[in-house]
Amino acid sequence: MSFSGMVKEELSKQNSPARHCRIAELAAIFSSCGRMQPCCGGSPGLRIQTENDAVARKCFTLLRKTFNIETDIAIRENSQLKRGSVYLIEISDSAQVQDVLQGTKLLVSGNTGGTLILRNSLVTQQNCCKRAFIRGAFLSSGSISDPKKGYHFEIVCSEEEKAQQLQEIIRSFHIDAKIVVRKKSYVVYVKEGAQIVDMLAIMEANVALMNLENIRILKEMRNSVNRKVNCETANINKTVNAAVKQMEDIKLIEQTVGFQSLNEGLAQIAELRLQYPEATLKELGMMLSPQVGKSGVNHRLRKLSALADEMRENKEELL
């Protein structure tokens, strides 16, 4: 099972004891994958259609516990993808339909197709109800990437108004949710790892949260080690390149004018560098008499390098 599937499975087993929270979660589910359409007798009915059995089970439980409505779950083969199943829950009794619509404060959207939309903020007035609404929206049409590969949390909405409504609710928890248009849908998404952890906490997916945190800690440790190794490798390469350049410069000076043309300090450090090519600046300084610090050794080597560069330039001019 994917990480997203495990999160949904965990959320499907949560049942809030508070009726107002159950209503908020049910409102999100109906808004995401529910619609009004004529039933067999011609009267308007409520239908939930989903490819996720966790959503169907959660909707069945919420209807029974919140509105005392017993429904059947019909299972059909997915004719479009020709794999998997589609789960249908239908409420055909007009009195029960009115109870659900009045309780959830859902209205038929202005768009065609009989989709439903929440236009009354009373349902999500309390923070606990906002959490339940986000949980229902994610359960119905959300997904989360495998944290081992990357961080991405999203909920797909069929209409811009629904996406903006969901974005506002998520942002009330100080999470920077953004909206992007993908084909004909509006996607509310969160990309930052720490904020996705917060989203799981908001939805009360505590097991998934701990799994994600463990993966994040492991990834951060690996990244920290890699950064240190890369930094140390870069420093070693820099030191080696500098030492090679120093050796080339000193040999050029020795072959061109000889060390006898240098002052005593430069001649000493040139001879020591040739004799001890792998020694550090501090070690070279300790070998001098009198001893010199790292900055002093570096200063003398820079002078030798400048002298060698000058010789190369003069040689090019002669050519």
Side-chain angles (χ1 to χ4, degrees):
M1 184 183 291
S2 66
F3 186 78
S4 189
M6 288 189 288
V7 174
K8 290 189 177 186
E9 188 64 28
E10 181 181 355
L11 294 179
S12 70
K13 296 175 182 177
Q14 289 189 13
N15 293 301
S16 174
R19 187 174 188 271
H20 49 81
C21 290
R22 295 198 299 268
I23 287 175
E25 189 167 359
L26 198 57
I29 294 174
F30 272 106
S31 178
S32 296
C33 55
R35 65 182 60 246
M36 288 284 295
Q37 60 183 52
C39 295
C40 299
S43 59
L46 269 175
R47 171 179 281 192
I48 289 283
Q49 179 172 315
T50 177
E51 296 173 9
N52 192 324
D53 63 327
V55 179
R57 283 187 276 111
K58 189 62 177 286
C59 186
F60 176 87
T61 303
L62 289 172
L63 285 172
R64 179 167 52 83
K65 288 193 171 186
T66 309
F67 296 100
N68 198 26
I69 296 175
E70 296 286 348
T71 59
D72 294 326
I73 300 177
I75 304 175
R76 297 178 184 175
E77 185 180 344
N78 193 328
S79 58
Q80 292 182 343
L81 299 177
K82 294 185 179 180
R83 60 183 176 84
S85 302
V86 174
Y87 302 88
L88 300 174
I89 296 178
E90 190 172 79
I91 306 172
S92 55
D93 184 275
S94 58
Q96 291 179 340
V97 170
Q98 286 303 311
D99 284 346
V100 173
L101 292 179
Q102 288 176 7
T104 57
K105 303 295 186 288
L106 290 168
L107 297 173
V108 178
S109 173
N111 294 347
T112 57
T115 58
L116 300 166
I117 189 168
L118 179 67
R119 287 206 172 96
N120 191 326
S121 59
L122 184 65
V123 173
T124 54
Q125 192 169 18
Q126 301 182 62
N127 274 347
C128 58
C129 295
K130 290 178 181 178
R131 293 172 183 268
F133 189 88
I134 295 170
R135 183 165 59 241
F138 177 80
L139 193 59
S140 304
S141 56
S143 65
I144 181 170
S145 63
D146 185 344
K148 292 179 182 177
K149 299 177 181 177
Y151 301 121
H152 184 81
F153 174 101
E154 71 175 38
I155 299 175
V156 181
C157 302
S158 59
E159 301 172 32
E160 185 176 9
E161 184 179 354
K162 291 181 182 180
Q164 290 174 345
Q165 182 183 69
L166 182 59
Q167 181 191 41
E168 183 180 347
I169 292 172
I170 293 173
R171 284 187 169 180
S172 68
F173 291 98
H174 309 291
I175 291 177
D176 186 25
K178 294 183 173 65
I179 297 175
V180 66
V181 179
R182 185 188 298 157
K183 295 182 180 178
K184 295 182 180 180
S185 300
Y186 296 85
V187 182
V188 183
Y189 70 94
V190 177
K191 294 285 288 185
E192 207 273 317
Q195 293 202 335
I196 293 176
V197 171
D198 292 340
M199 288 300 300
L200 292 175
I202 288 167
M203 297 188 298
E204 299 177 286
N206 298 320
V207 175
L209 186 153
M210 292 304 297
N211 290 336
L212 177 55
E213 279 287 52
N214 288 337
I215 293 169
R216 283 186 70 223
I217 290 169
L218 185 60
K219 286 176 72 174
E220 286 176 6
M221 286 178 64
R222 285 176 178 168
N223 290 338
S224 178
V225 170
N226 287 338
R227 280 195 298 270
K228 288 179 180 178
V229 169
N230 291 338
C231 184
E232 289 174 2
T233 302
N235 288 337
I236 290 170
N237 290 337
K238 185 178 178 182
T239 302
V240 169
N241 292 336
V244 170
K245 174 70 163 54
Q246 289 165 8
M247 294 292 289
E248 291 175 351
D249 292 341
I250 292 169
K251 286 178 180 178
L252 176 64
I253 294 170
E254 183 182 27
Q255 294 167 3
T256 306
V257 296
F259 293 157
Q260 67 275 6
S261 64
L262 303 175
N263 64 43
E264 185 180 356
L266 293 182
Q268 275 188 325
I269 201 65
E271 290 172 354
L272 282 173
R273 173 49 87 194
L274 283 180
Q275 191 175 355
Y276 303 101
E278 296 180 0
T280 63
L281 297 183
K282 184 177 180 181
E283 289 170 345
L284 289 174
M286 296 291 288
M287 297 176 195
L288 292 169
S289 180
Q291 294 182 353
V292 177
K294 284 172 61 177
S295 60
V297 173
N298 188 50
H299 178 70
R300 293 184 186 185
L301 288 171
R302 284 179 179 276
K303 279 192 171 184
L304 290 171
S305 179
L307 180 60
D309 289 340
E310 186 179 343
M311 290 178 179
R312 291 188 184 97
E313 289 178 7
N314 292 335
K315 187 176 180 181
E316 288 176 2
E317 288 177 2
L318 291 173
L319 293 174

